[in-house]
Each structure stands twice: as structure tokens, then as C-alpha cells.
Amino acid sequence: MSNAQTGKKKLPLAMQIFIALLLAIVVGLLMQSHASFANEYIKPFGTIFLNLVKFIVGPIVLFSIMAGVISMRDIRKVGKIGGMTVVYYFLTTAVATAIGLLVANVFKGGFPALSTESLSYEAAAGSKPMDVLVNIFPNNFLMPITESNMLQVIVMALLIGFAIILLGEKADKAIEGVNRWNDIFMKCMEMILKLSPVGVFCLLCPVVATNGAMVIGSLAKVLLAAYMAYLLHAIIVYSATVRTMGGMSPLRFFKGMLPAIMFAFSSASSVGTLPINLECTGKLGADKEVASFVLPLGATINMDGTAIYQGVCAIFIASCYGIQLTGSQMLTIVLTATLASVGTAGVPGAGMVMLAMVLASVGLPIDGIALVAGVDRIFDMGRTTLNITGDASCAICVSNILRRGKKQ
Ligand code: ASP
């Protein structure tokens, strides 16, 4: 990526992605009457790109977390950084859900009353809160990778990483091996990312062609509520944390994050955005050893945008069914949306599957998901953008806190 970004004649990759994004919107709008053509012949190339990203995600998370853990050479240090990171992630996600609920309640009067008759949605199995906990622990060495279960991959990476640290000198060759494999998979990701302008165009164009008219239609207010909450969360929460804990001007932070933000918006995949996020936070001054641990972890468990989306959709679905949610039900939503977002994989569409768990926790009909499923991709682009920005803010904050600690 760095070659592409610093190449003299070539446009920087971020610029290429931005142009692809604009082109996709324009071409998508022009193709609204040919949406099926876009879906049949353009979307597959986007799917190929996404498949490649999904293919590389498992090894990237496994080796980058292992390399991150090993580079700290001290389990207590991993524990300290891990502790700070997890607290930051949980608190910001809970605040995100609360903001989502607040904004949705303000907008509620204007939400369309869509008909709920004849709705049906098949919820995926295993969407109970305790299942999320149990499913974190792998019962097989290969399955976490073959099933792309990222939480399990993280557990594997931590266990192996700790074992390597504990073995000390005896594991020197393993350390070298992990670092080289990490370089190799990062290089693979770099190669795949070179295709991202084409991927972004082919993914986004059919979405715009299919949903263009619908956005201005009945769900516009719900989408607006979600995007307002995404924006509020970024402006209020991340600006505050980056300034106070990260010691950085929010403007500099958001500016430095632009390439990753654009990539996340168009790809709707947190994990796919990981390499660009590593690069952006690195340029912003995050420590490499911190970022290479905090960011893959965040791409898997920290989903503020997804939590907001789940809160907003819960209120919208309740209002369509004429159900008034009580204060304690709202609190339950904050808790379950925080948990559900942890269990959400960093790939497109995953947040909608986990919405079932949030709805079920307060007795809302799961069939209601069908009301928002048609425009999920549009929700997804915004929530993914917020998800990765949250991860980056954490990397900046933890790096700065550790630096301050060292100076004292
Ligand atoms: N697409 C989101 C992400 O990758 C997850 C979601 O669907 O909410 O972060």
C-alpha cells in the first residue's frame, strides 16, 4: 500500500477509493432503471473482492494479534493494555447505544408506520447472550479459521502468544516465524487492497442502483436517525476521548483517519479496513505494538455503529408494531446491544443478524427485521465507518496513556 500511496505518478490509494466511491454513486443513480443488470454483472466483481478480503481476514487477525502480544514480551503488559482496551470498548459502545436510543426517541414521532402484516424473518441460531460467551472459546484448532469465527481466532492468538512469551528463549524461532508470517499476510492484504477501488465501485454501484429511490422513500427518516446518531457519537465521544486521553486535536484525528473512513464506508467491513486503519493510526502517532493488538481486537469486538443501529432499529420496529418501550426495556437494549455488537463479525451485514438478539431480549417480534433488511447496506456503511473510527480512537488513547505513564 505504501508504494501505491507514495508512488510519484500514481494517485494515492485513498484518492482512488474516493473517486471510485463518487463514480459508484453517479453510475448507480444513472442505472436505477437497470438495477438488475448492476446486480447481475457488476456486483459479482465486488463479491470477488469481498471474498478475497474475507479469505485473508482470519490469518491477519491471528498473526497480527500474536505478533502484537509477542512484541510486548510481558503477559502483564498485555493484560494492562487489554484491560484498558476492553473497558474503553465496552463503555463507548454502551454510550453509543444510549445515543442511538435517544436520537431514535426524538425521531420516533416522524417514523413511518409500515405495515407489519405478512412479515417474516428467519433468525439465525445461537443469538442468545450466553451463546455469545460460550462461542468465544474454540473446541477445535482449525474451526475458528475455517468458520471465520474471529472471537475464537482472538482466543487462539492470545493463548499461543502467551505460550511463546512463557517459553522465553526456546521460542525465539517461533517469534521470528510469527513475525515473518505476519509480514507475509500483511503483504497479501496489501495486494488485495490494491483492487479496492474496483471492489468499492462494484459493491456500491448496485446498492445505489437498487436503493437509490428507496432511500428518499419510506425509510429515509430511520436512516437519518441512525446517521445522526453515528455523527453525534463521533463528534461528541471520540473528539472528547481523543482530546483528553489521546492528547490530540480531534480535527487532526478525523483528518488522518479519512482514508480508513472512506474505505470502511464503501466496503462495510471493519476487518477488511484493518490494514488501512493500522497505517492511518501509525501516521497519527499510535504505537505499533499497541495498534497491532488494539485494532484487530476492536475490528472484532468493538462495534459502536452497530450498537447504535440496533438501538435505532429496535425503537423503529417497536413503533411499527405500536409497542411502547419502558425505561427498563431501554436499559436491557443498552446491555444486549453492547453484547450483540461484541458478537458481530466485522463483515458486511453481520450486525443485522445480531439485531435478532436485541429484539428478542425485550420481546419485540424478530420478524420486524424484515422492515429494515432492504436498506441494511446503507445502515451498514455508516455503522462500519463508526466502528473502525472507534477502534482507532482507542489505539490513539492507549498509546498516549502508556507514553505518559513511561514519562512519569
Ligand atoms: N459491517 C460491520 C462491520 O464490519 C458489522 C455490522 O454489520 O454491523 O463493522
Side-chain angles (χ1 to χ4, degrees), residues 30-43:
L30 291 175
M31 286 188 74
Q32 284 191 67
S33 51
H34 298 91
S36 58
F37 177 86
N39 279 306
E40 253 172 71
Y41 295 103
I42 298 181
K43 195 174 165 191

Side-chain angles (χ1 to χ4, degrees), residues 268-271 299 303 306 344-352 380 383-384 387:
S269 170
S270 293
V271 189
M303 309 263 170
T306 303
T344 303
V347 293
M352 192 180 76
D380 201 359
R383 62 186 192 240
T384 309
N387 291 346

